Amino acid sequence: NQLEPDEEYAPIVRDIFRWRAEGMSQSAICTRLDETSVPCPSQLLMQRYNLRGDGYYKATVWQPKAIKKMIQSRIYLGHLEQGKTRQALYEHSPLRQIPQEDWHITENAHEPIVSVELWEAANTVAKERRAKYHGDLDYPVLPDNILRGYLVCGFCGSKLTRRHNKRTNPSGKQYEYFYYSCPLQRQHPEQRFPMMRYETICDKAFPVISQRLELTESLVALIEK
């Protein structure tokens, strides 16, 4: 009843941590793994256990968010991290993230794959990159993503990812905007998914939603639902 290192892929995990510690970006690590034909997590699940499905299982290329999650995880140090999320259906409480200080961490629960020094070096680089991009904040405080889960790529069907960007115009004034893109764009490079601005999507979607609401016989019941 313990986790054990996969001897075939443990060296690849160490390479990922080492590359990150050397300053390589998450996207560059993904490209290197793809070029050397290392299967991404979803591919490995399909190859070994024939698991197929929508969303996550459609990926055939490595994604930066997978690298980010690996680098931050203490499971590779031999520690278990539990209680990261909480959901109470009987209370109609949706799935929510739990602050890290409230996680249940069991140290030295299994054999580690990377050393403490390598893990800390990789996470130091990640922290420095976040500080450089976000300034003094660990993460920017962003508004709720009201379109989350509703938008999909017209080419591969993957759910679109919201991205946040900041720009400075010629007069020196800063502005920010949100846009949506396909997380698996590298999987179908010949079919370029355009960058879709949040305002553009709302301009198209909200009039249709308004029309549907006008046709609804029981608007109060719909709103309550």
Side-chain angles (χ1 to χ4, degrees):
N1 296 317
Q2 280 189 328
L3 295 177
E4 296 180 349
D6 185 327
E7 296 302 331
E8 182 178 359
Y9 290 99
I12 297 173
V13 172
R14 296 187 190 98
D15 285 340
I16 291 173
F17 273 86
R18 179 171 54 82
W19 294 335
R20 189 58 167 157
E22 292 172 353
M24 188 179 293
S25 69
Q26 294 170 170
S27 297
I29 293 175
C30 291
T31 300
R32 176 172 291 189
L33 292 170
D34 289 336
E35 290 176 348
T36 53
S37 301
V38 176
C40 65
S42 58
Q43 278 185 304
L44 197 57
L45 287 174
M46 286 189 287
Q47 293 173 6
R48 288 189 170 181
Y49 309 110
N50 197 30
L51 288 176
R52 298 180 183 276
D54 297 328
Y56 175 77
Y57 297 108
K58 289 184 177 181
T60 60
V61 295
W62 280 85
Q63 300 182 64
K65 62 181 180 181
I67 302 299
K68 177 182 177 181
K69 185 176 180 180
M70 288 179 64
I71 296 299
Q72 293 178 340
S73 176
R74 290 180 173 83
I75 196 171
Y76 300 106
L77 286 175
H79 308 333
L80 283 181
E81 297 175 321
Q82 298 170 303
K84 295 182 178 182
T85 60
R86 188 171 299 159
Q87 184 176 23
L89 296 179
Y90 70 94
E91 295 179 349
H92 302 287
S93 176
L95 184 69
R96 62 188 186 280
Q97 302 292 326
I98 301 301
Q100 186 171 345
E101 57 268 19
D102 295 330
W103 293 356
H104 300 287
I105 299 177
T106 305
E107 296 186 353
N108 304 316
H110 51 266
E111 181 183 346
I113 292 181
V114 301
S115 65
V116 175
E117 293 77 15
L118 181 57
W119 189 92
E120 290 180 346
N123 277 272
T124 297
V125 170
K127 185 177 180 180
E128 290 174 349
R129 295 288 176 88
R130 286 197 300 269
K132 181 179 180 180
Y133 181 76
H134 298 310
D136 295 333
L137 297 175
D138 288 336
Y139 291 99
V141 179
L142 303 178
D144 290 338
N145 182 8
I146 64 172
L147 301 178
R148 182 177 183 178
Y150 292 105
L151 305 175
V152 298
C153 173
F155 297 116
C156 68
S158 298
K159 292 184 178 181
L160 301 187
T161 301
R162 185 181 74 167
R163 303 186 184 279
H164 173 249
N165 211 342
K166 289 185 177 181
R167 286 288 186 268
T168 303
N169 60 24
S171 65
K173 183 178 180 180
Q174 286 190 341
Y175 65 97
E176 60 182 356
Y177 61 91
F178 295 98
Y179 66 95
Y180 290 81
S181 62
C182 175
L184 301 182
Q185 177 65 68
R186 288 172 27 249
Q187 200 163 287
H188 47 84
E190 71 286 351
Q191 299 168 316
R192 299 295 299 175
F193 185 91
M195 180 190 75
M196 298 294 293
R197 292 281 290 264
Y198 169 78
E199 294 81 7
T200 302
I201 297 174
C202 290
D203 289 344
K204 297 292 184 180
F206 286 177
V208 177
I209 295 174
S210 298
Q211 293 172 6
R212 295 299 179 92
L213 289 175
E214 292 175 357
L215 298 175
T216 302
E217 295 181 0
S218 179
L219 184 60
V220 174
L222 180 63
I223 292 175
E224 290 178 351
K225 181 179 180 181

